[in-house]
Amino acid sequence: MAHHDHTPARICSNCDGHASVAVTLGVRDHAGHLRTVTAHCPVCHGSGTRPTRRPLTVPAVSA
């Protein structure tokens, strides 16, 4: 059987892959539903993966 090597997942180190969470406000509305707010990781902006690094660009030399 062939063994396929896959690249490891780039999990965000700030949120450990749990990019979005629902936080309860502790208040119920008039219908009795619990109100929640969705909070996203500030580093990965809710994607759960580590941001890719930008490639290093070398400035052009003018002659």
Side-chain angles (χ1 to χ4, degrees), residues 1-44:
M1 221 178 216
H3 178 71
H4 300 285
D5 288 330
H6 297 287
T7 57
R10 298 175 300 128
I11 296 176
C12 176
S13 60
N14 194 31
C15 65
D16 291 330
H18 301 285
S20 298
V21 295
V23 180
T24 181
L25 297 175
V27 180
R28 295 188 182 267
D29 62 5
H30 67 280
H33 297 200
L34 190 61
R35 302 212 33 205
T36 59
V37 174
T38 304
H40 298 289
C41 174
V43 175
C44 66

